Amino acid sequence: MRKALLTLTCAGQFMVLLDNTIVGAALPDMQQRLHTGLTGLQWIVDAYVLLVAMLLLSGGVFADRFGRRRVFLTGVVVFTAASVVCSLAPSIGWLIAGRVLQGVGAAALSPASLALLTAAYPAPKERVRAIGSWAGFSGIGLAGGPLAGGILVEAFGWPAIFLVNVPIGAVLLLAGLRVLGESRNPGAPPIDVPGTVLSAAGVGAVTYGLIEGGSRGWTSPVILGGFAAGLVLLAAFVVVESRVPTPMLPLRLFRQRLFTVSNTAMVVVGFALMGSSFFFSQFFVHVQGTSILVAGLRTLPTSLAMVIASPYAGRLAARYGFRVVVTAGLALAGLGLLALGFVHADTGYGNVWWRLAVVGIGFALTMSPLTGASVQAVSPQEGGLASGVSSTTRQIGAVLGVAVLGAIVHTRESGGASFESGLDSAFLTAGAVTLACAVFTGLWLTAARTPGDVRAGRSGGRAVGEPPLTTPAGRLTS
């Protein structure tokens, strides 16, 4: 029975992660068939990522409070139904609405699947192996997305990338009704509805300003009003979270320097990785003139490099420390992105693939150690919350990356530059931000020293000569 549960939860996570990368391969076809521009493509991606980012923490609480099986199956139903809406969308507006629903389903399905696993495998060693399988399926979904998307779009058009979720979702629902048992945490905290609403509205308003600013004008009243509303809503979120008894995001955690620095760096990782990969397929199709299938194949080095390198990130962090591995990974990814900024229409693929691979390796070395650092910064009882915050900050960075780098390309094109020149500027910006973050983590990614640490002979939050701690969650949530 536990093996069946493991298979179901892994398949659910696979479906969610596949959707993260398969859409990128279809963007050029969507642009052509839906007659939309860069702004529309940004909303297709960010509508999904924004909802996942803002509801992820609440999804875990929902699962614990109202039943993990119930929330998991509800997430499957919503995600599958939303996929049908996306595939049948007659216009860009309907497609964006479907993507919003997909984000709601994913935000319920993903944390509930992990909660089911942890409840079914109480023994630490068995739980580590189960979460390892769960994370491995995540990697397969990420790596397989570009190739699967290229094949499906080339053969059937962009709606096929959403229809592929329907049979997976149907099997998950039918098998889940038979196999999954219900479990819940009676002591789970109440849902922080004000915090969830304010965070989603605030980040959404800022995202609206960033995406629409290029076409509407950065000084237009609508855009300035969007930015102002976003800042007010986010300020209100901070006030509410500091006063409610059970906040979705306890602000006191950010008093720990290791927690603050690791999550700040995770925002940059999401920003640079998602923001740059948004343009990979578009570069190959619109700049180098390849087919969508070939573009999907050519973007594989990034995701494959991440899948191959990710398992080693935790081991390296255990040996050399979070700061060394994360800083090296960010530096490597930043250099790879800068190198992509000098790729042009006539650059041969033999001189492109290694740049994509360097980016993938660099980011693979950062994500699980950053999550591990976030988890280590808090008490053992708050490890799950810290891991969830780390995933959320990465998603927020992804939302901002697509919005900001897209705005850079749009602004360059509005000024008369070519799409190729706009992409160069976007990649160079992502690379510069990533390198700046490498300097930031190199200086600050340690736990603040306390008088107790000094008396105990500790440095950087751990004993001198003691290897840094890593946790299963830190290694496996990349």
Side-chain angles (χ1 to χ4, degrees):
M1 186 67 71
R2 288 202 303 177
K3 289 185 178 179
L5 182 146
L6 176 61
T7 301
L8 283 176
T9 54
C10 287
Q13 182 69 359
F14 168 84
M15 183 170 67
V16 170
L17 268 294
L18 180 70
D19 206 73
N20 273 359
T21 54
I22 199 172
V23 171
L27 290 176
D29 192 54
M30 291 176 176
Q31 184 173 16
Q32 179 181 356
R33 298 195 185 200
L34 292 173
H35 308 291
T36 187
L38 181 61
T39 298
L41 299 182
Q42 288 174 276
W43 278 120
I44 290 171
V45 174
D46 265 357
Y48 174 81
V49 180
L50 177 63
L51 267 295
V52 173
M54 295 298 98
L55 299 180
L56 196 60
L57 289 175
S58 297
V61 176
F62 261 92
D64 286 340
R65 190 171 180 83
F66 299 110
R68 292 145 185 163
R69 174 182 183 267
R70 178 183 299 174
V71 173
F72 177 81
L73 294 179
T74 301
V76 169
V77 170
V78 173
F79 191 90
T80 305
S83 297
V84 175
V85 172
C86 290
S87 67
L88 299 177
S91 65
I92 186 69
W94 277 102
L95 179 54
I96 292 171
R99 292 287 283 166
V100 168
L101 288 177
Q102 272 195 316
V104 174
L109 193 163
S110 184
S113 69
L114 187 56
L116 283 167
L117 268 189
T118 56
Y121 291 87
K125 290 185 178 180
E126 291 184 340
R127 180 182 296 177
V128 168
R129 285 195 291 268
I131 296 176
S133 299
W134 184 82
F137 268 81
S138 303
I140 295 172
L142 287 173
L147 178 58
I151 293 173
L152 290 171
V153 172
E154 196 76 17
F156 306 107
W158 67 262
I161 68 166
F162 298 110
L163 285 175
V164 74
N165 294 326
V166 176
I168 301 175
V171 170
L172 285 174
L173 179 61
L174 294 175
L177 289 171
R178 294 185 57 185
V179 171
L180 298 178
E182 188 59 280
S183 65
R184 55 172 52 89
N185 176 13
I191 307 299
D192 180 14
V193 176
T196 302
V197 172
L198 287 171
S199 62
V203 176
V206 172
T207 303
Y208 175 85
L210 290 170
I211 292 179
E212 296 290 338
S215 57
R216 295 177 179 268
W218 296 105
T219 58
S220 69
V222 173
I223 300 304
L224 293 177
F227 285 129
L231 293 176
V232 170
L233 288 166
L234 291 175
F237 169 75
V238 171
V239 173
V240 167
E241 294 301 280
S242 65
R243 295 184 178 182
V244 296
T246 54
M248 62 175 287
L249 181 61
L251 299 180
R252 58 180 171 74
L253 296 179
F254 289 94
R255 297 172 188 165
Q256 301 290 336
R257 187 173 75 188
L258 186 62
F259 185 86
T260 301
V261 173
S262 61
N263 281 285
T264 302
M266 193 64 95
V267 172
V268 174
V269 169
F271 174 93
L273 176 59
M274 191 68 179
S276 59
S277 61
F278 173 76
F279 290 109
F280 287 168
S281 288
Q282 296 181 69
F283 166 78
F284 288 118
V285 172
H286 296 313
V287 176
Q288 294 202 325
T290 71
S291 67
I292 292 176
L293 175 57
V294 171
L297 289 169
R298 289 189 172 187
T299 61
L300 276 175
T302 300
S303 53
L304 286 177
M306 291 183 68
V307 171
I308 293 171
S310 288
Y312 298 98
R315 302 174 197 173
L316 291 171
R319 183 170 184 178
Y320 299 107
F322 294 128
R323 179 166 60 175
V324 172
V325 176
V326 169
T327 300
L330 288 170
L332 199 61
L335 292 173
L337 288 169
L338 289 180
L340 284 173
F342 296 96
V343 171
H344 304 294
D346 56 353
T347 305
Y349 185 66
N351 200 22
V352 176
W353 73 267
W354 63 266
R355 306 174 196 231
L356 296 170
V358 167
V359 171
I361 293 171
F363 283 125
L365 292 176
T366 64
M367 286 195 287
S368 57
L370 282 175
T371 301
S374 179
V375 170
Q376 184 173 311
V378 302
S379 65
Q381 294 78 12
E382 295 176 315
L385 174 62
S387 179
V389 171
S390 184
S391 297
T392 299
T393 53
R394 185 174 72 243
Q395 295 286 352
I396 292 173
V399 172
L400 296 176
V402 172
V404 172
L405 297 187
I408 290 172
V409 174
H410 200 292
T411 301
R412 289 295 311 278
E413 286 187 295
S414 299
S418 64
F419 181 66
E420 178 183 348
S421 297
L423 289 187
D424 290 341
S425 298
F427 289 138
L428 291 173
T429 300
V433 170
T434 306
L435 287 176
C437 189
V439 176
F440 173 67
T441 57
L443 293 173
W444 297 104
L445 191 61
T446 58
R449 298 180 66 182
T450 66
D453 293 329
V454 175
R455 288 193 299 269
R458 294 178 176 266
S459 175
R462 58 189 177 90
V464 177
E466 176 188 347
L469 300 175
T470 56
T471 66
R475 289 198 299 273
L476 297 173
T477 53
S478 62

PDB file of all heavy atoms in Angstrom, residues 271-301:
ATOM      1  N   PHE A 271      14.582  34.396  -9.914  1.00  0.00           N
ATOM      2  CA  PHE A 271      14.577  35.519 -10.859  1.00  0.00           C
ATOM      3  C   PHE A 271      15.413  35.207 -12.095  1.00  0.00           C
ATOM      4  O   PHE A 271      14.943  35.324 -13.237  1.00  0.00           O
ATOM      5  CB  PHE A 271      15.135  36.756 -10.148  1.00  0.00           C
ATOM      6  CG  PHE A 271      15.324  37.960 -11.030  1.00  0.00           C
ATOM      7  CD1 PHE A 271      14.328  38.915 -11.141  1.00  0.00           C
ATOM      8  CD2 PHE A 271      16.506  38.148 -11.728  1.00  0.00           C
ATOM      9  CE1 PHE A 271      14.498  40.038 -11.949  1.00  0.00           C
ATOM     10  CE2 PHE A 271      16.694  39.258 -12.538  1.00  0.00           C
ATOM     11  CZ  PHE A 271      15.683  40.204 -12.654  1.00  0.00           C
ATOM     12  N   ALA A 272      16.656  34.810 -11.889  1.00  0.00           N
ATOM     13  CA  ALA A 272      17.574  34.623 -13.011  1.00  0.00           C
ATOM     14  C   ALA A 272      17.279  33.354 -13.787  1.00  0.00           C
ATOM     15  O   ALA A 272      17.345  33.336 -15.028  1.00  0.00           O
ATOM     16  CB  ALA A 272      19.014  34.607 -12.500  1.00  0.00           C
ATOM     17  N   LEU A 273      16.946  32.262 -13.087  1.00  0.00           N
ATOM     18  CA  LEU A 273      16.716  30.991 -13.763  1.00  0.00           C
ATOM     19  C   LEU A 273      15.428  31.018 -14.577  1.00  0.00           C
ATOM     20  O   LEU A 273      15.439  30.732 -15.782  1.00  0.00           O
ATOM     21  CB  LEU A 273      16.680  29.851 -12.735  1.00  0.00           C
ATOM     22  CG  LEU A 273      16.359  28.461 -13.287  1.00  0.00           C
ATOM     23  CD1 LEU A 273      17.376  28.054 -14.349  1.00  0.00           C
ATOM     24  CD2 LEU A 273      16.321  27.437 -12.167  1.00  0.00           C
ATOM     25  N   MET A 274      14.312  31.362 -13.955  1.00  0.00           N
ATOM     26  CA  MET A 274      13.037  31.369 -14.661  1.00  0.00           C
ATOM     27  C   MET A 274      12.972  32.506 -15.670  1.00  0.00           C
ATOM     28  O   MET A 274      12.450  32.346 -16.777  1.00  0.00           O
ATOM     29  CB  MET A 274      11.894  31.489 -13.659  1.00  0.00           C
ATOM     30  CG  MET A 274      10.516  31.252 -14.260  1.00  0.00           C
ATOM     31  SD  MET A 274      10.302  29.544 -14.759  1.00  0.00           S
ATOM     32  CE  MET A 274       8.617  29.594 -15.377  1.00  0.00           C
ATOM     33  N   GLY A 275      13.513  33.663 -15.279  1.00  0.00           N
ATOM     34  CA  GLY A 275      13.475  34.799 -16.189  1.00  0.00           C
ATOM     35  C   GLY A 275      14.269  34.563 -17.459  1.00  0.00           C
ATOM     36  O   GLY A 275      13.849  34.963 -18.553  1.00  0.00           O
ATOM     37  N   SER A 276      15.406  33.888 -17.357  1.00  0.00           N
ATOM     38  CA  SER A 276      16.219  33.622 -18.554  1.00  0.00           C
ATOM     39  C   SER A 276      15.666  32.453 -19.353  1.00  0.00           C
ATOM     40  O   SER A 276      15.603  32.511 -20.590  1.00  0.00           O
ATOM     41  CB  SER A 276      17.671  33.359 -18.155  1.00  0.00           C
ATOM     42  OG  SER A 276      17.762  32.247 -17.286  1.00  0.00           O
ATOM     43  N   SER A 277      15.228  31.379 -18.661  1.00  0.00           N
ATOM     44  CA  SER A 277      14.720  30.216 -19.395  1.00  0.00           C
ATOM     45  C   SER A 277      13.424  30.531 -20.138  1.00  0.00           C
ATOM     46  O   SER A 277      13.073  29.849 -21.107  1.00  0.00           O
ATOM     47  CB  SER A 277      14.514  29.034 -18.443  1.00  0.00           C
ATOM     48  OG  SER A 277      13.565  29.341 -17.442  1.00  0.00           O
ATOM     49  N   PHE A 278      12.709  31.565 -19.706  1.00  0.00           N
ATOM     50  CA  PHE A 278      11.530  32.026 -20.431  1.00  0.00           C
ATOM     51  C   PHE A 278      11.857  32.356 -21.883  1.00  0.00           C
ATOM     52  O   PHE A 278      11.012  32.217 -22.783  1.00  0.00           O
ATOM     53  CB  PHE A 278      10.973  33.263 -19.710  1.00  0.00           C
ATOM     54  CG  PHE A 278       9.842  33.964 -20.422  1.00  0.00           C
ATOM     55  CD1 PHE A 278       8.565  33.442 -20.413  1.00  0.00           C
ATOM     56  CD2 PHE A 278      10.068  35.160 -21.093  1.00  0.00           C
ATOM     57  CE1 PHE A 278       7.518  34.091 -21.063  1.00  0.00           C
ATOM     58  CE2 PHE A 278       9.031  35.817 -21.743  1.00  0.00           C
ATOM     59  CZ  PHE A 278       7.755  35.284 -21.719  1.00  0.00           C
ATOM     60  N   PHE A 279      13.107  32.770 -22.135  1.00  0.00           N
ATOM     61  CA  PHE A 279      13.488  33.200 -23.480  1.00  0.00           C
ATOM     62  C   PHE A 279      14.274  32.147 -24.269  1.00  0.00           C
ATOM     63  O   PHE A 279      14.599  32.388 -25.433  1.00  0.00           O
ATOM     64  CB  PHE A 279      14.343  34.478 -23.397  1.00  0.00           C
ATOM     65  CG  PHE A 279      13.574  35.681 -22.964  1.00  0.00           C
ATOM     66  CD1 PHE A 279      13.770  36.232 -21.706  1.00  0.00           C
ATOM     67  CD2 PHE A 279      12.645  36.265 -23.804  1.00  0.00           C
ATOM     68  CE1 PHE A 279      13.067  37.345 -21.299  1.00  0.00           C
ATOM     69  CE2 PHE A 279      11.929  37.386 -23.411  1.00  0.00           C
ATOM     70  CZ  PHE A 279      12.139  37.928 -22.156  1.00  0.00           C
ATOM     71  N   PHE A 280      14.599  31.009 -23.677  1.00  0.00           N
ATOM     72  CA  PHE A 280      15.446  30.045 -24.371  1.00  0.00           C
ATOM     73  C   PHE A 280      14.832  29.581 -25.686  1.00  0.00           C
ATOM     74  O   PHE A 280      15.460  29.665 -26.756  1.00  0.00           O
ATOM     75  CB  PHE A 280      15.731  28.833 -23.469  1.00  0.00           C
ATOM     76  CG  PHE A 280      16.697  29.113 -22.351  1.00  0.00           C
ATOM     77  CD1 PHE A 280      16.864  28.205 -21.318  1.00  0.00           C
ATOM     78  CD2 PHE A 280      17.438  30.293 -22.306  1.00  0.00           C
ATOM     79  CE1 PHE A 280      17.747  28.450 -20.271  1.00  0.00           C
ATOM     80  CE2 PHE A 280      18.319  30.562 -21.272  1.00  0.00           C
ATOM     81  CZ  PHE A 280      18.469  29.629 -20.259  1.00  0.00           C
ATOM     82  N   SER A 281      13.614  29.050 -25.633  1.00  0.00           N
ATOM     83  CA  SER A 281      12.968  28.567 -26.861  1.00  0.00           C
ATOM     84  C   SER A 281      12.720  29.701 -27.846  1.00  0.00           C
ATOM     85  O   SER A 281      12.858  29.526 -29.069  1.00  0.00           O
ATOM     86  CB  SER A 281      11.640  27.874 -26.521  1.00  0.00           C
ATOM     87  OG  SER A 281      11.861  26.634 -25.892  1.00  0.00           O
ATOM     88  N   GLN A 282      12.351  30.875 -27.315  1.00  0.00           N
ATOM     89  CA  GLN A 282      12.113  32.015 -28.208  1.00  0.00           C
ATOM     90  C   GLN A 282      13.387  32.420 -28.936  1.00  0.00           C
ATOM     91  O   GLN A 282      13.340  32.829 -30.108  1.00  0.00           O
ATOM     92  CB  GLN A 282      11.570  33.185 -27.388  1.00  0.00           C
ATOM     93  CG  GLN A 282      10.217  32.900 -26.756  1.00  0.00           C
ATOM     94  CD  GLN A 282       9.697  34.086 -25.974  1.00  0.00           C
ATOM     95  OE1 GLN A 282       9.344  35.114 -26.558  1.00  0.00           O
ATOM     96  NE2 GLN A 282       9.653  33.964 -24.658  1.00  0.00           N
ATOM     97  N   PHE A 283      14.536  32.306 -28.279  1.00  0.00           N
ATOM     98  CA  PHE A 283      15.798  32.629 -28.947  1.00  0.00           C
ATOM     99  C   PHE A 283      16.044  31.695 -30.117  1.00  0.00           C
ATOM    100  O   PHE A 283      16.366  32.128 -31.230  1.00  0.00           O
ATOM    101  CB  PHE A 283      16.960  32.538 -27.955  1.00  0.00           C
ATOM    102  CG  PHE A 283      18.313  32.534 -28.607  1.00  0.00           C
ATOM    103  CD1 PHE A 283      18.873  33.715 -29.078  1.00  0.00           C
ATOM    104  CD2 PHE A 283      19.011  31.348 -28.787  1.00  0.00           C
ATOM    105  CE1 PHE A 283      20.110  33.710 -29.703  1.00  0.00           C
ATOM    106  CE2 PHE A 283      20.241  31.333 -29.408  1.00  0.00           C
ATOM    107  CZ  PHE A 283      20.796  32.515 -29.869  1.00  0.00           C
ATOM    108  N   PHE A 284      15.891  30.408 -29.872  1.00  0.00           N
ATOM    109  CA  PHE A 284      16.183  29.452 -30.945  1.00  0.00           C
ATOM    110  C   PHE A 284      15.189  29.563 -32.102  1.00  0.00           C
ATOM    111  O   PHE A 284      15.565  29.427 -33.262  1.00  0.00           O
ATOM    112  CB  PHE A 284      16.191  28.022 -30.392  1.00  0.00           C
ATOM    113  CG  PHE A 284      17.381  27.708 -29.533  1.00  0.00           C
ATOM    114  CD1 PHE A 284      17.231  27.376 -28.199  1.00  0.00           C
ATOM    115  CD2 PHE A 284      18.665  27.758 -30.064  1.00  0.00           C
ATOM    116  CE1 PHE A 284      18.327  27.102 -27.398  1.00  0.00           C
ATOM    117  CE2 PHE A 284      19.774  27.487 -29.272  1.00  0.00           C
ATOM    118  CZ  PHE A 284      19.601  27.155 -27.940  1.00  0.00           C
ATOM    119  N   VAL A 285      13.905  29.821 -31.793  1.00  0.00           N
ATOM    120  CA  VAL A 285      12.896  29.895 -32.842  1.00  0.00           C
ATOM    121  C   VAL A 285      12.939  31.234 -33.572  1.00  0.00           C
ATOM    122  O   VAL A 285      13.010  31.294 -34.812  1.00  0.00           O
ATOM    123  CB  VAL A 285      11.487  29.653 -32.256  1.00  0.00           C
ATOM    124  CG1 VAL A 285      10.413  29.916 -33.313  1.00  0.00           C
ATOM    125  CG2 VAL A 285      11.367  28.226 -31.740  1.00  0.00           C
ATOM    126  N   HIS A 286      12.912  32.338 -32.814  1.00  0.00           N
ATOM    127  CA  HIS A 286      12.760  33.653 -33.441  1.00  0.00           C
ATOM    128  C   HIS A 286      14.085  34.281 -33.881  1.00  0.00           C
ATOM    129  O   HIS A 286      14.097  35.113 -34.784  1.00  0.00           O
ATOM    130  CB  HIS A 286      12.053  34.605 -32.469  1.00  0.00           C
ATOM    131  CG  HIS A 286      10.646  34.201 -32.141  1.00  0.00           C
ATOM    132  ND1 HIS A 286       9.737  33.821 -33.101  1.00  0.00           N
ATOM    133  CD2 HIS A 286       9.996  34.105 -30.951  1.00  0.00           C
ATOM    134  CE1 HIS A 286       8.582  33.521 -32.528  1.00  0.00           C
ATOM    135  NE2 HIS A 286       8.719  33.682 -31.217  1.00  0.00           N
ATOM    136  N   VAL A 287      15.185  33.915 -33.230  1.00  0.00           N
ATOM    137  CA  VAL A 287      16.480  34.505 -33.595  1.00  0.00           C
ATOM    138  C   VAL A 287      17.270  33.586 -34.511  1.00  0.00           C
ATOM    139  O   VAL A 287      17.793  34.027 -35.538  1.00  0.00           O
ATOM    140  CB  VAL A 287      17.305  34.829 -32.326  1.00  0.00           C
ATOM    141  CG1 VAL A 287      18.685  35.349 -32.701  1.00  0.00           C
ATOM    142  CG2 VAL A 287      16.572  35.857 -31.463  1.00  0.00           C
ATOM    143  N   GLN A 288      17.336  32.298 -34.171  1.00  0.00           N
ATOM    144  CA  GLN A 288      18.124  31.373 -34.989  1.00  0.00           C
ATOM    145  C   GLN A 288      17.293  30.613 -36.005  1.00  0.00           C
ATOM    146  O   GLN A 288      17.850  29.889 -36.832  1.00  0.00           O
ATOM    147  CB  GLN A 288      18.891  30.404 -34.089  1.00  0.00           C
ATOM    148  CG  GLN A 288      19.959  31.094 -33.241  1.00  0.00           C
ATOM    149  CD  GLN A 288      21.043  30.147 -32.780  1.00  0.00           C
ATOM    150  OE1 GLN A 288      20.789  28.981 -32.503  1.00  0.00           O
ATOM    151  NE2 GLN A 288      22.267  30.653 -32.701  1.00  0.00           N
ATOM    152  N   GLY A 289      15.962  30.750 -35.954  1.00  0.00           N
ATOM    153  CA  GLY A 289      15.115  30.196 -37.004  1.00  0.00           C
ATOM    154  C   GLY A 289      14.936  28.695 -36.980  1.00  0.00           C
ATOM    155  O   GLY A 289      14.663  28.088 -38.013  1.00  0.00           O
ATOM    156  N   THR A 290      15.036  28.051 -35.828  1.00  0.00           N
ATOM    157  CA  THR A 290      14.837  26.602 -35.752  1.00  0.00           C
ATOM    158  C   THR A 290      13.348  26.276 -35.613  1.00  0.00           C
ATOM    159  O   THR A 290      12.520  27.157 -35.382  1.00  0.00           O
ATOM    160  CB  THR A 290      15.587  25.997 -34.546  1.00  0.00           C
ATOM    161  OG1 THR A 290      14.932  26.401 -33.339  1.00  0.00           O
ATOM    162  CG2 THR A 290      17.031  26.447 -34.523  1.00  0.00           C
ATOM    163  N   SER A 291      13.023  25.000 -35.746  1.00  0.00           N
ATOM    164  CA  SER A 291      11.659  24.555 -35.468  1.00  0.00           C
ATOM    165  C   SER A 291      11.453  24.481 -33.958  1.00  0.00           C
ATOM    166  O   SER A 291      12.421  24.518 -33.178  1.00  0.00           O
ATOM    167  CB  SER A 291      11.412  23.181 -36.085  1.00  0.00           C
ATOM    168  OG  SER A 291      12.202  22.198 -35.429  1.00  0.00           O
ATOM    169  N   ILE A 292      10.202  24.362 -33.536  1.00  0.00           N
ATOM    170  CA  ILE A 292       9.903  24.282 -32.105  1.00  0.00           C
ATOM    171  C   ILE A 292      10.486  23.006 -31.506  1.00  0.00           C
ATOM    172  O   ILE A 292      11.002  23.005 -30.383  1.00  0.00           O
ATOM    173  CB  ILE A 292       8.387  24.370 -31.877  1.00  0.00           C
ATOM    174  CG1 ILE A 292       7.891  25.765 -32.250  1.00  0.00           C
ATOM    175  CG2 ILE A 292       8.028  24.042 -30.428  1.00  0.00           C
ATOM    176  CD1 ILE A 292       6.395  25.949 -32.159  1.00  0.00           C
ATOM    177  N   LEU A 293      10.437  21.901 -32.245  1.00  0.00           N
ATOM    178  CA  LEU A 293      11.007  20.647 -31.743  1.00  0.00           C
ATOM    179  C   LEU A 293      12.505  20.774 -31.536  1.00  0.00           C
ATOM    180  O   LEU A 293      13.040  20.369 -30.496  1.00  0.00           O
ATOM    181  CB  LEU A 293      10.700  19.507 -32.718  1.00  0.00           C
ATOM    182  CG  LEU A 293      11.332  18.152 -32.380  1.00  0.00           C
ATOM    183  CD1 LEU A 293      10.906  17.695 -30.992  1.00  0.00           C
ATOM    184  CD2 LEU A 293      10.960  17.113 -33.432  1.00  0.00           C
ATOM    185  N   VAL A 294      13.193  21.339 -32.523  1.00  0.00           N
ATOM    186  CA  VAL A 294      14.643  21.521 -32.398  1.00  0.00           C
ATOM    187  C   VAL A 294      14.962  22.466 -31.241  1.00  0.00           C
ATOM    188  O   VAL A 294      15.914  22.248 -30.479  1.00  0.00           O
ATOM    189  CB  VAL A 294      15.238  22.062 -33.720  1.00  0.00           C
ATOM    190  CG1 VAL A 294      16.699  22.471 -33.546  1.00  0.00           C
ATOM    191  CG2 VAL A 294      15.118  21.002 -34.812  1.00  0.00           C
ATOM    192  N   ALA A 295      14.155  23.508 -31.089  1.00  0.00           N
ATOM    193  CA  ALA A 295      14.370  24.435 -29.964  1.00  0.00           C
ATOM    194  C   ALA A 295      14.231  23.714 -28.628  1.00  0.00           C
ATOM    195  O   ALA A 295      15.021  23.932 -27.707  1.00  0.00           O
ATOM    196  CB  ALA A 295      13.375  25.592 -30.053  1.00  0.00           C
ATOM    197  N   GLY A 296      13.213  22.834 -28.518  1.00  0.00           N
ATOM    198  CA  GLY A 296      13.049  22.073 -27.288  1.00  0.00           C
ATOM    199  C   GLY A 296      14.254  21.195 -26.999  1.00  0.00           C
ATOM    200  O   GLY A 296      14.712  21.098 -25.852  1.00  0.00           O
ATOM    201  N   LEU A 297      14.790  20.569 -28.044  1.00  0.00           N
ATOM    202  CA  LEU A 297      15.979  19.735 -27.861  1.00  0.00           C
ATOM    203  C   LEU A 297      17.188  20.573 -27.461  1.00  0.00           C
ATOM    204  O   LEU A 297      18.002  20.158 -26.626  1.00  0.00           O
ATOM    205  CB  LEU A 297      16.281  18.975 -29.160  1.00  0.00           C
ATOM    206  CG  LEU A 297      15.313  17.846 -29.530  1.00  0.00           C
ATOM    207  CD1 LEU A 297      15.570  17.372 -30.954  1.00  0.00           C
ATOM    208  CD2 LEU A 297      15.459  16.690 -28.552  1.00  0.00           C
ATOM    209  N   ARG A 298      17.290  21.751 -28.033  1.00  0.00           N
ATOM    210  CA  ARG A 298      18.472  22.580 -27.776  1.00  0.00           C
ATOM    211  C   ARG A 298      18.468  23.228 -26.395  1.00  0.00           C
ATOM    212  O   ARG A 298      19.529  23.657 -25.928  1.00  0.00           O
ATOM    213  CB  ARG A 298      18.584  23.661 -28.859  1.00  0.00           C
ATOM    214  CG  ARG A 298      18.973  23.100 -30.221  1.00  0.00           C
ATOM    215  CD  ARG A 298      19.302  24.191 -31.224  1.00  0.00           C
ATOM    216  NE  ARG A 298      19.859  23.618 -32.447  1.00  0.00           N
ATOM    217  CZ  ARG A 298      20.356  24.327 -33.455  1.00  0.00           C
ATOM    218  NH1 ARG A 298      20.350  25.661 -33.375  1.00  0.00           N
ATOM    219  NH2 ARG A 298      20.849  23.733 -34.526  1.00  0.00           N
ATOM    220  N   THR A 299      17.308  23.286 -25.759  1.00  0.00           N
ATOM    221  CA  THR A 299      17.277  23.834 -24.398  1.00  0.00           C
ATOM    222  C   THR A 299      17.550  22.771 -23.334  1.00  0.00           C
ATOM    223  O   THR A 299      17.660  23.101 -22.143  1.00  0.00           O
ATOM    224  CB  THR A 299      15.910  24.482 -24.099  1.00  0.00           C
ATOM    225  OG1 THR A 299      14.887  23.489 -24.213  1.00  0.00           O
ATOM    226  CG2 THR A 299      15.617  25.622 -25.072  1.00  0.00           C
ATOM    227  N   LEU A 300      17.674  21.517 -23.753  1.00  0.00           N
ATOM    228  CA  LEU A 300      17.853  20.422 -22.795  1.00  0.00           C
ATOM    229  C   LEU A 300      19.108  20.524 -21.927  1.00  0.00           C
ATOM    230  O   LEU A 300      19.077  20.081 -20.779  1.00  0.00           O
ATOM    231  CB  LEU A 300      17.870  19.077 -23.527  1.00  0.00           C
ATOM    232  CG  LEU A 300      16.500  18.458 -23.833  1.00  0.00           C
ATOM    233  CD1 LEU A 300      16.663  17.187 -24.660  1.00  0.00           C
ATOM    234  CD2 LEU A 300      15.745  18.161 -22.557  1.00  0.00           C
ATOM    235  N   PRO A 301      20.241  21.047 -22.418  1.00  0.00           N
ATOM    236  CA  PRO A 301      21.439  21.061 -21.572  1.00  0.00           C
ATOM    237  C   PRO A 301      21.236  21.699 -20.200  1.00  0.00           C
ATOM    238  O   PRO A 301      21.817  21.239 -19.219  1.00  0.00           O
ATOM    239  CB  PRO A 301      22.443  21.855 -22.410  1.00  0.00           C
ATOM    240  CG  PRO A 301      22.058  21.561 -23.814  1.00  0.00           C
ATOM    241  CD  PRO A 301      20.558  21.503 -23.784  1.00  0.00           C
TER     242      PRO A 301
END
